[in-house]
Amino acid sequence: MSELMLKYFREKQQKVETEKVYNAQCPFCSMQCKKQVIEQTIVTRKRYRTTGVDNPTTGGRLCVKGLNAYQHAFHEDRLRYPMQKIDGAFQPISWDAALQLIKEKIPALQKEYGKNTIGVYGGGSLTNETSYILGKFARLALGTKYIDYNGRFCMSAAASAGNKALGIDRGLTNQLDEIPETKCIILAGTNIADCQPTIMPYFEEAKRNGAYIIVVDPRETATAQMADLHLKVKPGCDNAAANAILKCIYDEGKADLDFIEKRTEGAEELFVHLQGLTVEACAEEAGIPYQELEKAARAFANAESGMIFTARGIEQQVDGYLAVRNFINILLLTGKIGKKGSGYGAITGQGNGQGGREHGQKADQLPGYRSIDNKEDRKYIADVWGMKEKDMPGKGVSAYEMMELIGRGDIKSLFLVGSNPIISNPHATMVKEAIQSLDFFVAVDMFISETAEYADLVLPAASYMENAGTLTNLEGRVTLREADKKAPGESKNDWEILSMIAGILGYGTQFSYQSAEEIFNELRLASKGGIADYFGITYERIRQAEGVFWPCRSESDPGTKRLFEDRFARDGGRAELLVVPLKNEHPKEEVSQEFPLYLTTGRVMAHYLTGVQTRKSSNLNARLFESFIEIHPVTAKRHAISENTLVTIESPRGQITVRSRISESIREDTVFVPFHWAESQNVNMLVEGRLDPVCRMPGFKRSAVRVSPYQEQQ
Ligand SMILES: Nc1nc2c(c(=O)[nH]1)N[C@H]1C(S)=C(S)[C@@H](COP(=O)(O)OP(=O)(O)OC[C@H]3O[C@@H](n4cnc5c(=O)[nH]c(N)nc54)[C@H](O)[C@@H]3O)O[C@H]1N2
Ligand SMILES: Nc1nc2c(c(=O)[nH]1)N[C@H]1C(S)=C(S)[C@@H](COP(=O)(O)OP(=O)(O)OC[C@H]3O[C@@H](n4cnc5c(=O)[nH]c(N)nc54)[C@H](O)[C@@H]3O)O[C@H]1N2
Ligand code: SF4
Ligand SMILES: [Mo]
């Protein structure tokens, strides 16, 4: 090519080359890392680059998921129009036609079967504004009591335990900045290295400052590799491990009696209970050498300050509520809470796992963490919503129980917003059948997920890059996600879609919002005086301060960074110690001759939840494109399983097939499978539907299974 032509092409390229910068916040985990997506158009080709943006929580860090999250937002499979299932296939229709269909179906079903024949199912990825609107939509526009959300599988055990023991459920009682100053840390059932990677520098700094780190996990995860002591607990036996630690602290006279007397109740019963235990018996039950539990107890009790963090490993159990209570007992017994460098943290899961559980998409909850059973709370919210208190429905049921009601035909229609229950619920085969049996099923999603596949109508939702709003991160810091990309085709923000549906059902006046900020201002009022009080928080304040902590009761209130310094939030101001028996009355699935191994489930770094979003990313898929079973070499040998081969895993409920990954990092009696994949790799086909009686959490972290080399069906 001649020099002249090259010059011509170069100039032409420069003219058409454009760069757009989108401000965003990662859609995935509770760290809510701030970022910018930079779109470069060169001739007709688009190229994307992501950079982190400095902020007080993550300092501009991003993990591999955040770096690649633009791939699903710009994916060609994004829904652009409402899609109606006609003769078994989806066809694009207009918004008018979609709304008309809803107007024909919903009132008719309600007339025939009553208002509670409709269910509403939300998610922890939704903004605070959408979560708030979803609760109002269910209770006012549909008048149904059946609303719940995927956070039931996520935060419910920790939330109930926090509420009952301490009087408030805010993920972390202290801000992240205090972690580097603490001297002993227990990480119980949390794999932060893979699940909240950008939190790691706080812990690494603590370690450099001399903190002793204890990890409780049946597997040696990347998180456990950072630990000074790894307690390789038997799945579902964390209660016993915590009891051993409590017993040792008590016996060795290390309990903080002054703190216990001034700030707690229930100590007498706890002491009697501890007197009846032995460390050895608890250790045996937990599957951990007793010397290691004693070491953990001494390290924690002797440290000047200490923090305990829990996550789904101990919480997703049929007694997850009690497990968290027993770890909170350790903090209270040693007086390590409500002080600098001492406190509790439930590591929140989803982007808005925290805010999503505060503003009314939970069966028993009204905005501001108000209770739907409390007459005053009901009256207050009814006034904000312009309805009569007596018309407000009561408490519904939890997410999985809603699936059971669908299966029984009691709920005939479902609005699903931001969740994929066929992959994420326990007993997934039953759930799939239930979903298929619905008379009228509307899903609001960016994609046709495995569940939306069965919908009669799928409404196209905006992605995180297009939908502005607030999300509350794991610290309890309310952040503002700016979004400046245009949503593709005719897709819309969730809150706009819900408002349009409410409008067609006759509630236009109460759902006449023009912006997310307008909804937030109503939410502020609705939360005023509640436990999760957002009244003092405004978009302007969040922009200026880069996030405001709740509770924040007025615009001059700086927000509460550390909880419980002077009093706990329970009536009377004391925290509650609770006896957690070594063998409690909530039996878990036990291994047997037929099903000899414990199965536990969880996550890997590169994928997110049911994988609908991360499986769309070629970069993330390249890291791991299929599921696997982590199995100990001794166990693998016993079951004739070799490395990198297909394995069939069976439980009393079903079977799946995944590839083997043989590793000494897992207990011999346990296997691990992630839950990011569908169909024959959907591990929830193996998990039972039994629930924790207090918080209704399923036991995702312990089932009984057997394994065998995969054999092709003849
Ligand atoms: N990469 C990635 N990050 C995520 C997510 C994701 O899907 N992918 N999801 C987000 C969400 S919504 C959530 S809730 C969080 C979840 O975050 P985590 O709770 O940290 O993640 P999990 O992998 O489910 O479980 C954590 C650990 O518990 C261990 N475990 C299993 N059974 C037991 C047990 O009986 N006792 C104990 N002590 N430990 C046990 C597992 O081996 C695992 O290492 O992560 C968030 N971040
Ligand atoms: N075996 C096992 N099962 C588990 C768990 C486990 O550890 N083990 N963990 C449980 C936990 S902690 C969780 S949080 C659940 C999660 O379970 P799900 O909620 O089912 O998981 P997601 O993949 O987040 O599903 C989100 C869906 O909503 C869509 N979506 C994302 N953002 C938006 C949005 O802003 N608006 C709308 N309208 N749609 C959106 C996505 O495209 C996707 O289809 O899984 C639970 N299930
Ligand atoms: S997945 Fe979590 S840690 Fe990773 S970038 Fe997103 S918000 Fe940050
Ligand atoms: Mo979660």
Side-chain angles (χ1 to χ4, degrees):
M1 203 184 288
S2 73
E3 195 55 33
L4 201 68
M5 274 178 81
L6 264 177
K7 187 164 174 269
Y8 166 79
F9 278 120
R10 220 171 278 136
E11 278 171 7
K12 187 166 179 205
Q13 180 178 343
Q14 271 163 7
K15 264 189 222 149
V16 292
E17 199 171 278
T18 53
E19 194 171 272
K20 252 194 236 166
V21 177
Y22 302 107
N23 288 302
Q25 208 159 292
C26 177
F28 299 133
C29 86
S30 56
M31 292 303 286
Q32 282 305 290
C33 303
K34 295 255 183 209
K35 61 178 191 173
Q36 283 185 335
V37 177
I38 297 139
E39 178 186 77
Q40 290 174 323
T41 312
I42 302 154
V43 194
T44 54
R45 229 187 87 223
K46 288 198 192 311
R47 200 164 66 185
Y48 297 93
R49 197 157 51 83
T50 305
T51 55
V53 172
D54 191 23
N55 68 89
T57 309
T58 63
R61 295 184 289 277
L62 287 177
C63 80
V64 64
K65 286 187 300 310
L67 282 170
N68 289 294
Y70 70 86
Q71 291 196 319
H72 78 262
F74 286 98
H75 201 277
E76 59 185 18
D77 288 356
R78 281 286 303 277
L79 293 172
R80 286 167 166 73
Y81 307 97
M83 305 291 277
Q84 185 184 357
K85 178 89 63 59
I86 300 171
D87 296 330
F90 282 116
Q91 292 185 13
I93 58 168
S94 68
W95 275 105
D96 279 347
L99 292 173
Q100 207 47 48
L101 185 65
I102 293 173
K103 194 181 172 183
E104 274 164 31
K105 296 281 185 184
I106 295 298
L109 279 168
Q110 288 192 313
K111 196 162 172 230
E112 192 168 351
Y113 302 107
K115 294 212 157 173
N116 291 325
T117 199
I118 319 285
V120 176
Y121 191 115
S125 296
L126 307 176
T127 60
N128 287 320
E129 289 77 0
T130 298
S131 309
Y132 171 77
I133 287 296
L134 199 65
K136 181 172 173 182
F137 172 73
R139 278 123 182 180
L140 176 62
L142 297 175
T144 178
K145 68 178 175 181
Y146 290 126
I147 173 169
D148 211 58
Y149 78 125
N150 69 9
R152 185 66 73 165
F153 304 143
C154 189
M155 302 312 300
S156 64
S160 309
N163 277 327
K164 297 235 165 73
L166 312 170
I168 209 167
D169 152 41
R170 192 184 83 179
L172 304 191
T173 60
N174 304 48
Q175 58 175 353
L176 289 167
D177 274 355
E178 292 185 35
I179 294 172
E181 297 174 36
T182 190
K183 294 297 168 210
C184 188
I185 298 169
I186 297 180
L187 293 162
T190 165
N191 183 10
I192 45 177
D194 284 321
C195 296
Q196 287 82 13
T198 60
I199 208 175
M200 287 300 275
Y202 292 99
F203 290 88
E204 285 156 358
E205 199 181 331
K207 202 166 159 81
R208 279 196 298 278
N209 292 342
Y212 188 83
I213 300 184
I214 301 162
V215 165
V216 194
D217 197 305
R219 303 185 302 139
E220 191 186 329
T221 58
T223 311
Q225 281 164 14
M226 157 180 84
D228 297 281
L229 180 62
H230 176 199
L231 305 175
K232 226 170 179 174
V233 68
K234 193 199 287 178
C237 297
D238 296 271
N239 275 335
N243 266 329
I245 293 175
L246 288 165
K247 168 72 177 170
C248 179
I249 293 171
Y250 174 75
D251 274 2
E252 297 188 1
K254 306 236 168 75
D256 184 340
L257 297 176
D258 189 45
F259 180 90
I260 291 168
E261 194 202 312
K262 292 200 179 103
R263 306 222 29 206
T264 69
E265 59 191 47
E268 268 173 44
E269 293 86 337
L270 183 71
F271 292 167
V272 171
H273 155 70
L274 293 177
Q275 281 154 16
L277 296 178
T278 66
V279 175
E280 289 79 358
C282 298
E284 165 92 37
E285 180 73 21
I288 303 169
Y290 76 92
Q291 297 90 335
E292 290 184 8
L293 285 159
E294 283 179 349
K295 205 166 167 187
R298 288 176 193 138
F300 196 77
N302 291 340
E304 257 163 68
S305 54
M307 288 183 163
I308 296 182
F309 297 90
T310 66
R312 308 312 83 78
I314 76 160
E315 296 162 18
Q316 288 174 333
Q317 306 285 357
V318 293
D319 61 353
Y321 161 75
L322 288 176
V324 179
R325 288 296 303 257
N326 224 13
F327 278 91
I328 293 178
N329 278 341
I330 300 176
L331 288 170
L332 296 173
L333 192 74
T334 54
K336 287 189 167 65
I337 188 163
K339 298 173 185 163
K340 194 169 181 189
S342 287
Y344 170 63
I347 305 275
T348 300
Q350 303 172 88
N352 199 29
Q354 178 73 51
R357 65 186 194 264
E358 296 163 1
H359 299 296
Q361 51 172 336
K362 207 169 164 193
D364 56 353
Q365 217 173 59
L366 290 172
Y369 232 124
R370 287 187 152 86
S371 163
I372 205 156
D373 291 329
N374 177 302
K375 183 105 178 156
E376 260 171 55
D377 285 352
R378 294 170 58 85
K379 171 88 177 67
Y380 181 84
I381 297 295
D383 285 350
V384 175
W385 289 352
M387 70 189 291
K388 292 198 181 85
E389 185 269 319
K390 71 171 177 49
D391 294 335
M392 186 179 290
K395 180 161 117 181
V397 297
S398 73
Y400 177 72
E401 290 167 292
M402 215 160 23
M403 294 297 149
E404 289 181 324
L405 290 183
I406 294 171
R408 291 213 299 264
D410 292 349
I411 294 179
K412 296 200 183 299
S413 176
L414 182 71
F415 282 90
L416 175 70
V417 188
S419 186
N420 187 14
I422 286 183
I423 312 295
S424 55
N425 270 249
H427 205 350
T429 316
M430 181 287 278
V431 171
K432 186 171 173 179
E433 282 168 17
I435 292 277
Q436 284 175 287
S437 76
L438 282 161
D439 281 8
F440 185 57
F441 171 25
V442 183
V444 184
D445 205 303
M446 295 176 285
F447 299 102
I448 309 262
S449 70
E450 286 78 12
T451 309
E453 191 66 56
Y454 298 104
D456 298 290
L457 184 62
V458 187
L459 301 175
S463 80
Y464 73 101
M465 289 186 68
E466 300 132 18
N467 182 4
T470 61
L471 296 103
T472 306
N473 78 1
L474 83 170
E475 297 173 283
R477 187 194 296 263
V478 184
T479 66
L480 178 59
R481 179 173 79 194
E482 312 277 1
D484 30 33
K485 176 178 174 292
K486 192 186 160 308
E490 295 178 10
S491 56
K492 291 181 190 300
N493 294 328
D494 294 309
W495 60 263
E496 286 181 275
I497 297 173
L498 293 167
S499 301
M500 282 162 62
I501 303 174
I504 199 97
L505 295 175
Y507 291 85
T509 336
Q510 290 99 325
F511 287 83
S512 61
Y513 309 104
Q514 298 301 312
S515 69
E517 187 166 4
E518 194 184 335
I519 302 173
F520 189 74
N521 285 333
E522 186 179 306
L523 178 160
R524 290 173 56 206
L525 184 66
S527 73
K528 187 171 192 261
I531 296 173
D533 192 332
Y534 279 39
F535 186 64
I537 306 174
T538 64
Y539 271 29
E540 208 36 55
R541 278 191 74 187
I542 304 177
R543 281 195 185 102
Q544 274 167 14
E546 295 199 77
V548 180
F549 286 79
W550 71 261
C552 178
R553 302 191 187 283
S554 72
E555 284 187 47
S556 57
D557 179 347
T560 313
K561 291 187 176 173
R562 189 184 306 133
L563 297 173
F564 316 132
E565 283 183 283
D566 308 313
R567 66 189 308 280
F568 289 95
R570 297 174 69 245
D571 286 344
R574 286 168 177 272
E576 186 191 59
L577 288 156
L578 182 79
V579 171
V580 178
L582 187 52
K583 299 236 191 241
N584 61 60
E585 63 275 23
H586 316 311
K588 299 183 181 99
E589 188 152 88
E590 266 308 338
V591 289
S592 60
Q593 232 174 355
E594 206 185 346
F595 298 102
L597 293 168
Y598 293 112
L599 163 75
T600 190
T601 64
R603 293 152 168 84
V604 297
M605 164 87 99
H607 284 282
Y608 187 69
L609 299 177
T610 68
V612 176
Q613 296 165 92
T614 48
R615 283 187 271 123
K616 298 265 172 355
S617 155
S618 49
N619 291 357
L620 294 172
N621 254 343
R623 291 181 167 244
L624 194 61
F625 66 92
E626 62 174 355
S627 189
F628 62 89
I629 175 174
E630 189 176 311
I631 185 166
H632 192 277
V634 171
T635 319
K637 196 164 172 211
R638 193 179 317 130
H639 296 278
I641 287 164
S642 36
E643 171 72 348
N644 207 21
T645 57
L646 291 180
V647 179
T648 298
I649 317 173
E650 293 165 272
S651 85
R653 289 149 300 272
Q655 70 171 59
I656 64 167
T657 304
V658 294
R659 202 168 288 282
S660 62
R661 199 184 259 192
I662 298 179
S663 161
E664 282 183 356
S665 81
I666 192 160
R667 287 174 63 93
E668 275 185 43
D669 57 4
T670 304
V671 295
F672 171 84
V673 179
F675 84 105
H676 311 296
W677 284 271
E679 294 163 11
S680 58
Q681 300 182 28
N682 179 356
V683 73
N684 276 327
M685 293 198 296
L686 306 179
V687 176
E688 66 168 344
R690 199 175 344 183
L691 303 176
D692 182 306
V694 178
C695 61
R696 320 308 281 164
M697 170 71 91
F700 290 122
K701 292 292 194 264
R702 171 159 143 169
S703 314
V705 296
R706 64 170 171 244
V707 296
S708 55
Y710 171 72
Q711 312 223 307
E712 236 167 287
Q713 303 284 320
Q714 296 303 315

